Amino acid sequence: MGLSLLAYLLLAATGIWMFRARQNRSSRPNWLRSLHYAIGGTMVGLVLLLLAVGIVGTLGHFGSLGHSPHLIAGLTVVGLVLLSYGSATQINVKQPWARSLHIGTNIALFVGFLWVSLTGWSVVQKYLP
Ligand code: HEM
Ligand code: HEM
């Protein structure tokens, strides 16, 4: 989870850098987009891993899912991450809406990460005496 938050922060930094370069019509280094893309792919992988661990671990322990809002929060984050990735692949000159969708989903993703962390933390509390 820490790694996916770090990935998110790096994506925000490199994304805002590209945004400012575009606004100022100044050039940006070519590696910047590749770096942003690579970190993005890593974050998608990490979040899917957390989803798998969460589902397999809960099934193994309880034999069922859906003990708390953490399930919905987790599924929301996974959905937003996939939407962000999907919209990113569509960003080009012909589809300006894809960029807005990408930036919008990433702002929603920030809230999603907060939600999944808080609900995750409260299920952790259940195991403590
Ligand atoms: C899910 C993984 C992600 C992938 C694969 C991805 C990929 C991309 C791509 C391909 C672009 C278009 C670059 C271009 O203009 O050529 C882009 C733009 C952008 N990304 Fe991401 N991104 C991801 C996540 C994020 C996150 C989490 C944030 C912010 C927290 C973010 C912020 C931005 C911003 C602000 C831009 C706009 C750059 C501009 O206006 O020129 N991205 N991203
Ligand atoms: C993107 C991040 C995450 C995703 C996608 C995710 C996903 C999931 C899912 C789908 C479950 C099964 C829940 C159920 O069926 O009730 C689960 C269980 C669990 N997760 Fe996460 N999780 C994430 C982050 C976290 C974090 C940050 C924590 C701790 C602070 C955490 C702690 C737990 C615990 C303790 C369980 C067992 C739940 C139970 O016994 O009801 N998770 N997770």
Side-chain angles (χ1 to χ4, degrees):
M1 188 65 196
L3 283 176
S4 43
L5 290 180
L6 179 65
Y8 182 88
L9 293 179
L10 290 174
L11 283 167
T14 49
I16 290 167
W17 186 357
M18 291 193 289
F19 184 78
R20 292 190 42 166
R22 188 162 54 81
Q23 297 290 315
N24 301 331
R25 292 191 178 76
S26 55
S27 65
R28 63 182 193 209
N30 275 332
W31 52 263
L32 187 58
R33 186 176 187 272
S34 319
L35 179 69
H36 184 81
Y37 225 121
I39 304 172
T42 312
M43 184 178 72
V44 174
L46 287 169
V47 166
L48 290 178
L49 187 68
L50 281 165
L51 176 72
V53 171
I55 289 181
V56 171
T58 307
L59 278 181
H61 199 264
F62 295 103
S64 66
L65 292 176
H67 304 274
S68 75
H70 185 65
L71 178 61
I72 306 146
L75 292 177
T76 306
V77 166
V78 171
L80 286 174
V81 164
L82 293 179
L83 191 60
S84 174
Y85 192 91
S87 61
T89 63
Q90 299 304 310
I91 296 179
N92 58 45
V93 191
K94 280 189 208 149
Q95 285 152 300
W97 52 267
R99 179 173 275 119
S100 322
L101 182 61
H102 183 66
I103 297 176
T105 37
N106 288 322
I107 294 170
L109 190 56
F110 180 80
V111 182
F113 270 134
L114 279 184
W115 189 23
V116 85
S117 305
L118 292 175
T119 53
W121 184 243
S122 73
V123 274
V124 168
Q125 300 296 304
K126 279 202 250 170
Y127 298 113
L128 302 174

